Structure formats: C-alpha cells, structure tokens
Amino acid sequence: MQLFIISVITILLTCISFILPKKVSVGLLLIGSCSMIVYLLMTNEFFEAVLPLSVMFVTYFSFSVVFDHDKKLKKQQLQQKLSVTNFQIVELKRDVRRILMDICLAGAIAGVSVICLLFIPEMINTLKYLLGYYLILMLPPFLNRLVDYFFAKVYMLPEEQVLVIISLLEARELPMEHLEAIQKQSNPDILRLHPSFAFLAERKDYTISFSTVLRLTFSGETMYLTPVNVEAWYMYWNRFIQVDQVETEKNILPIWHRSNIKRLLWKGYFAISVKGVAAYTALLTILIFLHCPWYVITVFVFLWWLFNMYIADRLLINASDAEEVTAGELYHISQEIFSKAGITGTRLYVIDSDVYNGFATGTHIGKGTIMLTSATTKLSWSAVKAILAHEAIHIKKRDVMVNQIGRVMLMIVLGFGIFLSFNGLKQLIEQPLLLIVLINLLWAIFIICLSGVAQWTGVSIILCKSPFVDVNSE
C-alpha cells in the first residue's frame, strides 16, 4: 500500500508542476521530492527506503514524458499562432464507445498483472515489484490516449498549408509539404492503434469514433483521424501529395471478427509475455500454488521456453501486423539474395513503421524469417540489399538459434548456482531490497554475457566475406 501511495503522490506532484510556471514547478519538484526522500528515510531503515524511492523515481521519469514543459510551451506557441492566423476547424466525430473499447483492452492487459499482484506467493514477492513497475510504465501512453480523446482539436491553416493538432498536454505542427500519403479506412484498426500493442512504432491515434478513418503519413510520423467531412478533407489533403495515388478505401474488419480475435490473442500474449512479465509470474504462481517440486517447475519453464522459441517468428509477425512480401522488386531482390545464401525457404515481411530497423528470426534455416520496417524499404536499393544480406547471413549461420542456446545455457548456469545456494537465498526473502539487488546483479551478468554472444555473431558476420550481394555495384 505504501508503494501505491508513493506512486499516486508522485503522479500528482508531476501533474501540479506541469500546470504551474516552469520556474515555480522546479522549486515545487525539489521541495516535494526532498520531503518524500526525508520522510522515507526517517520512517524506514536505509535499505528498506531504497525500494519506495526507486518507485518514486520510476514513476516521475515515466510521467514526466507526458507532463513535459517543452510540449506545454509548444502548445502555447501554436495557440498564439492560431489567434492571429486564419484557420479551419477539422471537426471530429465523437463516440464514447470508441474510448470504452480502449479502456476495456487496457484493463484486460493490466488485469492479468493485477490478479498476479493479488495472488502471488510471498516466496516470489520480488516479481510483485516488477509487475508494479510494468503497470507504472503502462499508464503514461494510455493517459495520453485518454487526454487526446477528450481534448484533441484539429485545425487546418490554408494560407501556411500547415495542419495543427492541439490537445491538453501537447500540440503538433505538421507542414502539408511533408505529407507522403493519405488513405481512407472503413473503421479504426483498434488492435494496431492501441498503445498496449505498440511494437516498433507509436502511431498518433486521434480516432474518437468508429466512423471512416483518414490515415495521414508524414515524414517520420503517421496519424489517424476520424473527421466529420471525410470526403471533403480527403480531397483537400490529397492535393498536397506529389505522387498520384489511386483512391481506395481499406476495409477494416470489426474487432469481434474471427481473424481479429486471432490477432487479439497473439497481441495479448505478446503484451504479457514479451512487453511484460505477467505471463511468467502467472505460470510460477500456479505451479507454486499446486505445490510442485522445484524440478517440475524447472521442466515447465524449460518447455515454455521451447514453445516461445518455436512460435517466435509467428508471434512477432502477428504482434507487429507484418505483411509478407510476395511480389515486386523488393521480393525479387530478396529472393536473389536468399538463393545465393542457400536459404530459399526464408520469408520476407514488412512492418508498417516509421522506425528504421530490420532483424531475422526463426530457429533454423528452413524456418527463417526476415523482417524490415516500411521506413527501411524506402532507403536506397544498395542499402536494402546490404541489410538483407546481413540478415541472410544471420539465418545461414543459425545465429538466432545460437543466441537462444546461449541464453538457455546461461539460465542453466545461473539456475544451478541459485540451487546450490538456495538455503542462503531463502534468508533474503525477508530483505526484499537485497534480493532485488542480487537479482539485478545476476540480470546484469546475464545481459553482459548475452551481449557478448550477440557481438560474437556480429563480428563473425563482418569477417564472413559473403558473395550474396555486391552493395557497391550501384
């Protein structure tokens, strides 16, 4: 309960400091944080006070991204600009069912963690703190979404050809000359837009109803709107696009459709097992509740690891809504590289994202998958070929499997060490801080060793003179 109160006080303090002028807010934050630190040190032993202090700092730095004075200043500047400039209001359709759907999805994801918090055994009490950290990190993006639903207003400045979006906590100014594409969608794709399911991209979601959506793609940023006059604004904004595009409307299936239920299950599993620790905590809680011996727990954890490794490529494909490339110049280039590398069974997927990235997944050559973001595919062909060749070598050398085996070997070594010193570790249950310090130390060693394996595979690729592609040929 103390940690919850500390989080609430920190959030309120951050919010109040955002409302006040910057100079005043700095003083308030210093006085408030120092008061909390002094209070915690006076009412707790030093080692016992470190944990609530860490919760305070994690909460502050998470919410300071939302309550940002630079964003507030940008908002004030744009409001002043609107007061002296002609503008048109882009009216948005509002439907309370839209935000209720987001709340239900966020509640379902967070609910798994909350249930684990309520029923987690004391012997794995440390995981309770990790779940608390996950919930704290989950709140800011969802708070942004709530605020945008209730307060976001969209303005078009025809003389300056600029789109302005002003919300309660931030504002955006988007020159129409940077507009790259515009697309109509029949409904909001909730599973793609929801902040709990974001992967490699955080799209700005200003959809506040279930009506037709306009997706606007700017340089490095994509946003979604549900304007009242969809056709009029589509025709108006389409004039700013340099390349002619065919007017089509993408059909988005409702969330209760069979295919979207499948997407929801994949994305939900990704949210609680990859982005969070609720799935692992739930498994351990169930096994301990059933009084399973340590070797049964070990077997279950190992089998689950094998299962996650087996579905890793499908999990990433479904979690990112990646689309397979089956035709076009990119497809032919990739097939040529895969053929030279001897990995003809490898599939290429593209993730709709403004982030430059590419990676390989799959545990063996016959089941390899290479994924590129849409931003990466817009690079020069020589750069795309180099990236594809790099990832092809990873699959050819089975580096994904090497990294996974290295990971499990390190887990076995650490687990064996914990088993040998189990009696001593049991005494740390009453000292959660020391236990957390030990876990962080072991985790740091684990990450350093994994980084060494990854660096080794990367260096081996550099030393490998591959004939897959000549990037200097263009």
Side-chain angles (χ1 to χ4, degrees):
M1 181 57 69
Q2 183 190 41
L3 299 180
F4 175 76
I5 295 174
I6 290 172
S7 298
V8 172
I9 294 175
T10 305
I11 294 172
L12 291 175
L13 188 64
T14 309
C15 179
I16 295 173
S17 66
F18 174 77
I19 298 172
L20 297 174
K22 190 170 185 178
K23 292 183 179 179
V24 178
S25 67
V26 172
L28 175 65
L29 284 173
L30 286 174
I31 295 174
S33 59
C34 290
S35 300
M36 291 179 66
I37 292 171
V38 171
Y39 170 77
L40 291 173
L41 290 175
M42 291 181 62
T43 56
N44 298 275
E45 297 291 337
F46 176 77
F47 286 108
E48 293 178 352
V50 173
L51 182 60
L53 285 174
S54 67
V55 171
M56 183 185 75
F57 285 116
V58 169
T59 304
Y60 170 73
F61 285 112
S62 298
F63 281 85
S64 62
V65 177
V66 178
F67 301 111
D68 188 347
H69 272 277
D70 291 334
K71 294 180 179 179
K72 179 182 177 181
L73 178 61
K74 178 68 173 179
K75 174 187 173 182
Q76 292 171 344
Q77 292 173 345
L78 288 177
Q79 286 176 328
Q80 185 177 5
K81 185 176 183 178
L82 289 174
S83 65
V84 297
T85 307
N86 293 326
F87 60 84
Q88 294 175 274
I89 298 177
V90 182
E91 295 186 25
L92 303 178
K93 288 185 178 179
R94 192 176 302 276
D95 187 344
V96 70
R97 294 176 301 169
R98 177 66 185 89
I99 195 63
L100 288 177
M101 179 63 72
D102 282 346
I103 293 173
C104 289
L105 289 174
I109 298 299
V112 178
S113 298
V114 173
I115 291 173
C116 291
L117 283 173
L118 295 175
F119 296 99
I120 191 170
E122 289 297 325
M123 65 180 302
I124 54 173
N125 203 36
T126 305
L127 288 177
K128 186 177 293 187
Y129 304 120
L130 297 178
L131 288 172
Y133 288 139
Y134 169 68
L135 290 173
I136 292 173
L137 296 174
M138 181 181 174
L139 280 175
F142 186 68
L143 175 62
N144 247 335
R145 169 59 184 150
L146 282 174
V147 170
D148 288 340
Y149 173 83
F150 289 105
F151 298 100
K153 294 183 179 180
V154 184
Y155 305 90
M156 182 64 204
L157 281 57
E159 296 176 1
E160 301 185 19
Q161 297 184 350
V162 171
L163 184 68
V164 174
I165 302 176
I166 297 181
S167 185
L168 183 65
L169 301 176
E170 64 178 359
R172 318 178 87 81
E173 184 178 20
L174 302 162
M176 297 307 295
E177 62 182 12
H178 295 161
L179 182 64
E180 297 178 348
I182 182 171
Q183 182 189 53
K184 286 189 290 186
Q185 298 181 354
S186 60
N187 290 290
D189 191 349
I190 299 173
L191 297 182
R192 183 186 293 269
L193 298 176
H194 199 279
S196 297
F197 303 137
F199 176 65
L200 282 182
E202 186 176 348
R203 303 167 181 87
K204 289 307 297 181
D205 180 14
Y206 297 106
T207 62
I208 59 178
S209 70
F210 287 103
S211 58
T212 304
V213 177
L214 288 184
R215 167 183 159 148
L216 304 177
T217 303
F218 292 87
S219 301
E221 190 170 16
T222 301
M223 60 184 55
Y224 297 77
L225 306 169
T226 50
V228 174
N229 301 318
V230 175
E231 293 297 333
W233 285 113
Y234 176 84
M235 297 299 295
Y236 182 80
W237 287 328
N238 192 49
R239 297 182 306 158
F240 297 98
I241 300 176
Q242 303 297 325
V243 181
D244 294 335
Q245 61 178 20
V246 180
E247 181 180 350
T248 58
E249 179 175 313
K250 183 178 180 181
N251 183 39
I252 304 297
L253 298 172
I255 193 171
W256 55 83
H257 191 272
R258 180 176 58 186
S259 60
N260 276 338
I261 296 298
K262 178 182 176 182
R263 286 176 64 202
L264 178 60
L265 293 175
W266 280 109
K267 286 176 174 287
Y269 184 75
F270 178 82
I272 65 175
S273 63
V274 178
K275 296 182 69 174
V277 296
Y280 305 98
T281 307
L283 176 65
L284 289 175
T285 301
I286 292 172
L287 293 175
I288 293 173
F289 179 77
L290 296 175
H291 303 289
C292 295
W294 67 267
Y295 53 86
V296 174
I297 296 176
T298 303
V299 170
F300 265 92
V301 171
F302 180 71
L303 291 177
W304 196 14
W305 171 78
L306 288 178
F307 171 74
N308 285 329
M309 187 171 65
Y310 178 74
I311 67 169
D313 53 345
R314 282 178 287 175
L315 180 60
L316 288 174
I317 290 169
N318 286 278
S320 61
D321 292 310
E323 297 183 1
E324 186 173 3
V325 179
T326 57
E329 188 172 2
L330 178 60
Y331 172 76
H332 294 299
I333 289 174
S334 64
Q335 292 305 305
E336 180 182 356
I337 294 174
F338 297 162
S339 178
K340 290 181 179 179
I343 52 172
T344 54
T346 301
R347 298 174 298 170
L348 177 64
Y349 284 82
V350 173
I351 302 172
D352 182 18
S353 172
D354 300 318
V355 179
Y356 294 97
N357 205 343
F359 53 90
T361 183
T363 54
H364 55 82
I365 292 177
K367 198 189 172 190
T369 300
I370 291 178
M371 306 178 77
L372 302 178
T373 60
S374 55
T376 304
T377 62
K378 297 176 183 178
L379 298 173
S380 65
W381 285 121
S382 59
V384 173
K385 288 180 180 179
I387 294 171
L388 286 172
H390 178 91
E391 302 304 334
I393 298 174
H394 274 308
I395 293 178
K396 178 71 174 179
K397 295 172 67 272
R398 294 184 172 89
D399 285 338
V400 177
M401 179 177 287
V402 169
N403 279 288
Q404 290 290 346
I405 293 176
R407 180 172 300 174
V408 75
M409 292 300 295
L410 288 170
M411 289 176 65
I412 291 174
V413 171
L414 290 176
F416 186 68
I418 292 173
F419 172 74
L420 292 179
S421 55
F422 186 73
N423 291 329
L425 292 176
K426 286 194 297 184
Q427 300 177 5
L428 293 178
I429 294 178
E430 301 299 328
Q431 299 290 334
L433 174 63
L434 295 178
L435 189 59
I436 290 176
V437 170
L438 178 61
I439 291 175
N440 286 329
L441 179 62
L442 293 175
W443 183 251
I445 295 173
F446 182 68
I447 294 298
I448 292 172
C449 294
L450 283 183
S451 177
V453 175
Q455 293 295 327
W456 176 78
T457 56
V459 170
S460 64
I461 286 180
I462 295 175
L463 297 177
C464 178
K465 297 181 179 180
S466 171
F468 300 165
V469 62
D470 181 11
V471 297
N472 298 317
S473 61
E474 298 185 10

